[in-house]
Amino acid sequence: MGSYAYRYCMCFTRKFRSPDAHPPPDVRAAHAAAASADEGAGLRRFLADVQREDPSEADRILAALAGGGGGGIARLVGRSPALPSLDDFFGFLFSPDLNPPIPDKVHQDMSAPISHYYVFTGHNSYLTGNQLNSDSSDIPIIRALQRGVRVIELDMWPNSAKNCVEILHGGTLTAPVEIIKCLKSIKEHAFCASTYPLVITLEDHLTADLQAKVAEMITETFGDLLYVPSSDALNEFPSPEALMKRIIISTKPPQEFREFLKAQGNQNNNGNTANLSDEGALRRLDSNADDSDGKDDLDEEDDEESEEEDPKFQPDTACEYRKLITIHAGKPKGHLRDALKVDPDKVRRLSLSETQLTKATASHGADIIRFTQKNILRVYPKGTRINSSNYDPINAWTHGAQMVAFNMQGHDKSLRLMQGFFRANGGCGYVKKPDFLLKTGPNGEVFDPKANLPVKKTLKVKVYMGDGWRMDFSKTHFDAFSPPDFYARVGIAGVKADCVMKKTKTIEDQWVPVWDEEFTFPLTVPELALLRVEVQEYDMSEKHDFGGQTCLPVMELKQGIRAVPLHDRKGNRYKSVRLLMRFDLI
């Protein structure tokens, strides 16, 4: 047992004991039960009865520990008839690597169409800071890929000489970066965190000749990694499993190619294409554009909207560029109900701003859910979020939106929810949507997020203790005159009926706080619920200091006593800071 000395009033010193972490009563009881079991069966029984691990997972854990991964814990596996050490048992339970709170492997069915999954999606992935005057770079793209993001957005604009392509946020003071630099970095890091498909959404503001250059650069840079669809229009999206380690492109088909196809149809009907070249128009392609008119309009003007004409008509160029597109983006045009119509012969992607989504879900929630059962809905931040903040993703998720695009360079609460949500399924960036969002009743009825739903599950959470701050922070980081006064906040983020935050008591002057408090959370939609955990250091006179956070998908939680690693505000895991908690989902 050590001690910490703090100076105060210039000439006085206060000493505080710094006790080591000691096992709480529940751990002692579990150890006693394991030690009393038949030789070699103690830990296995504990894993089955308390941790509720299935036999195959128990075998894996025991094999890892027997192989030396758990140090002295090997004695619990049956190598020695001696009574296992309580400290060894406690060390195993308090290790996030040996006893994590959620699975670290992909375990969901990955053979369904991509539209059946939520996909970890970035917005303006190239920006280093705010949306107005920050630099564009490939570094934020690399960082996003390292975190498991599976959708990268690039805004393509001509350079000042109109002979090359740059990536930047159009209509702002953001500095550009060359597209080839971004493409090369994407290729190098595309599958560093996940082997499942990477989607590149292109917001296209290019002329036909520059589109041809982009098509050539994409093809040459990605090579065999690039997935090129065999048909012009898909009637169902491929599965993540079928596209492992492939890069796919999503944008709007070039406008002149549409006109070309339309003209071919007219030629078949009346043999007249004389006016085709005069009518062909190359329009700047904006995957987020929102043109509308009418009563149920998508009438919000957004800063991502762009549409300009170019009289050139180059069907060959259009074909080369167009054939690379796997996920066709469609502009939400006219009445909302028309934009949400499901075409039985082809699938597409529709983009709505967060504000448009709020309006749409208020009046056409069921239509959105039906649309997202087959097609893809992308939601992006409204244009006024100049500081690169984010919105609450829950409304989009409850209506089946697959690509909820977020600014990844910040560290707000919403981004923490997004990071936590995609810790599910081994952190591969694809999370299977709940069955209730994929089913349609005999009369066409679908899930109603506004309905009063009964409690489906109850989550019990016990917060035993925490440790690691004394290793990761200086002794005066939280308080210059004494050890920290920690308290924990535990709660649920999800549908409105499930949202709540609760708080432990404050433990004064302790680097290793022991709370030993239990909380109960009734859940109506546990499939979309996230467990929020935060630690704060109480400060009487100032704002409380941040001590760590994490966010975990409720349905992924491993039951029993678990070590929960905490992260900083940006989602980076601390080296040592962790909590010992218990989860029971009833």
Side-chain angles (χ1 to χ4, degrees), residues 251-282:
T251 189
K252 290 180 182 176
Q255 184 65 23
E256 73 271 26
F257 184 71
R258 291 182 181 178
E259 298 291 342
F260 178 61
L261 293 180
K262 181 179 178 181
Q264 282 188 324
N266 292 337
Q267 183 180 29
N268 292 335
N269 292 330
N270 55 33
N272 182 16
T273 58
N275 297 323
L276 178 59
S277 59
D278 293 331
E279 294 175 359
L282 173 62

Side-chain angles (χ1 to χ4, degrees), residues 190-212:
F191 305 106
C192 63
S194 172
T195 58
Y196 287 92
L198 175 69
V199 181
I200 302 177
T201 60
L202 300 177
E203 186 180 322
D204 183 349
H205 307 271
L206 304 178
T207 55
D209 57 331
L210 292 181
Q211 286 177 348

Side-chain angles (χ1 to χ4, degrees), residues 471-584:
M471 285 77 89
D472 291 353
F473 297 91
S474 70
K475 72 174 185 178
T476 57
H477 177 85
F478 296 103
D479 195 320
F481 305 109
S482 67
D485 307 324
F486 285 128
Y487 67 90
R489 298 179 70 234
V490 183
I492 298 294
V495 298
K496 187 175 182 181
D498 295 346
C499 290
V500 65
M501 286 297 290
K502 300 181 180 181
K503 176 179 173 295
T504 68
K505 58 182 177 288
T506 300
I507 305 299
E508 297 182 353
D509 300 332
Q510 284 290 342
W511 281 101
V512 186
V514 178
W515 296 288
D516 204 27
E517 295 187 43
E518 187 171 25
F519 305 98
T520 300
F521 303 101
L523 304 172
T524 60
V525 187
E527 297 89 345
L528 297 178
L530 296 165
L531 177 67
R532 292 179 57 201
V533 180
E534 297 177 2
V535 174
Q536 300 281 342
E537 198 273 334
Y538 178 80
D539 194 316
M540 184 179 299
S541 59
E542 299 177 1
K543 184 178 179 181
H544 299 182
D545 295 318
F546 178 81
Q549 61 83 24
T550 194
C551 194
L552 301 169
V554 166
M555 295 302 288
E556 293 271 320
L557 290 173
K558 290 188 167 191
Q559 304 209 43
I561 302 171
R562 301 291 174 176
V564 180
L566 296 188
H567 304 75
D568 64 17
R569 286 186 174 92
K570 293 185 177 181
N572 301 309
R573 177 174 162 176
Y574 289 125
K575 182 178 179 181
S576 308
V577 179
R578 65 207 186 277
L579 302 181
L580 189 67
M581 306 178 71
R582 179 167 184 156
F583 307 119
D584 292 289

Side-chain angles (χ1 to χ4, degrees), residues 63-85:
L65 296 177
I73 309 298
R75 287 178 294 174
L76 279 171
V77 185
R79 285 187 165 185
S80 168
L83 183 68
S85 163

Side-chain angles (χ1 to χ4, degrees), residues 386-431:
I386 296 174
N387 62 349
S388 295
S389 62
N390 290 297
Y391 50 99
D392 187 342
I394 300 297
N395 185 44
W397 288 335
T398 56
H399 287 86
Q402 297 89 344
M403 295 182 178
V404 183
F406 262 37
N407 297 307
M408 298 294 172
Q409 62 270 49
H411 51 81
D412 51 36
K413 171 192 165 185
S414 295
L415 183 55
R416 295 176 197 172
L417 297 183
M418 180 67 68
Q419 291 170 343
F421 187 84
F422 283 101
R423 290 190 178 108
N425 201 25
C428 73
Y430 285 81
V431 175

Side-chain angles (χ1 to χ4, degrees), residues 56-68:
S56 61
E57 180 64 11
D59 288 342
R60 187 194 66 79
I61 294 171
L62 293 174
L65 296 177

Side-chain angles (χ1 to χ4, degrees), residues 367-379:
D367 292 330
I368 292 176
I369 292 176
R370 291 188 191 97
F371 179 84
T372 57
Q373 289 177 344
K374 183 177 181 180
N375 300 280
I376 290 176
L377 177 61
R378 175 180 175 271
V379 183

